[in-house]
Amino acid sequence: MRRTLALALVLALTAACAGLLVRSEDPRLEAWKAQASELRGLEFESSVRLEWVPASAFPEVIRAEPDSTYTPEPARRYRDAYAALGVFPPDIDLVETMIALQSQAIAGMYSPHRRTLFVLDSLAGATKGDDLGQSQIVVHELVHALQQQHFSETLELLIRLRRQDDVVGALAAAVEGDATFAMLGVRVAVHGAGGRDEA
């Protein structure tokens, strides 16, 4: 009886979580992959998925990452250290606070474990005037997929050294800078070097 109840609960939770995510076989993904490859000078070696996600689902997307920096023990140590300095209240739930903050600021995220781009579903049906921003976000996340496929050692080093703030900050800046530089190439491709958006 207990096993049956547990199985029913797992299936119900799985169905509920699946309902939060809009699975997509977006035909634009191949064009975005070609753009990311051209801008970064690297080819995709394996498939990548795209899921359009409502903003309300991003906290669960972040929590599902097994190598998340928001794990209880390191978060407790940070909270206690900053609480001793008077920066945080001693009873703050730092994991939930950081997930909430990241979820509010995020437009897209690449999961190396799921080999999936998660992008806000509010961008999925972008009109012609919004195509540039939509393309930039998707290309940025696709570059992270290319990084994983071609420079996996660097990303693994980021995870292994996550308690070394200075090293992680430097590596993360290089990884994000690489994706951002390619993302800016989308704008240059549309408007030309030095070009500006037209009203």
Side-chain angles (χ1 to χ4, degrees), residues 35-179:
Q35 196 171 26
S37 289
E38 182 180 342
L39 288 166
R40 190 54 189 80
L42 298 168
E43 295 297 322
F44 283 91
E45 297 177 341
S46 59
S47 63
V48 177
R49 294 181 56 238
L50 168 64
E51 290 189 13
W52 298 104
V53 182
S56 61
F58 258 112
E60 290 311 314
V61 170
I62 295 167
R63 280 189 200 93
E65 287 301 293
D67 294 320
S68 170
T69 54
Y70 308 126
T71 52
E73 185 54 28
R76 184 194 60 75
R77 288 197 303 267
Y78 273 107
R79 180 203 63 202
D80 291 349
Y82 282 109
L85 296 170
V87 176
F88 294 148
D91 60 345
I92 190 173
D93 185 335
L94 192 56
V95 172
E96 288 306 310
T97 301
M98 295 305 292
I99 287 173
L101 285 171
Q102 185 178 0
S103 298
Q104 290 170 13
I106 203 166
M109 178 183 124
Y110 174 68
S111 168
H113 301 282
R114 291 172 277 182
R115 298 182 187 271
T116 301
L117 316 176
F118 295 96
V119 182
L120 277 175
D121 66 352
S122 59
L123 298 170
T127 62
K128 183 88 172 105
D130 297 326
D131 285 351
L132 177 61
Q134 177 194 64
S135 296
Q136 286 183 302
I137 290 164
V138 175
V139 166
H140 179 104
E141 300 309 327
L142 283 168
V143 171
H144 288 316
L146 286 168
Q147 291 166 342
Q148 179 199 19
Q149 292 178 18
H150 292 273
F151 311 110
S152 59
E153 302 85 4
T154 302
L155 300 182
E156 287 165 12
L157 191 61
L158 258 172
I159 293 165
R160 283 201 315 270
L161 298 176
R162 66 180 167 211
R163 291 189 177 97
Q164 307 295 323
D165 290 349
D166 290 343
V167 175
V168 168
L171 283 173
V175 167
E176 284 301 322
D178 181 31

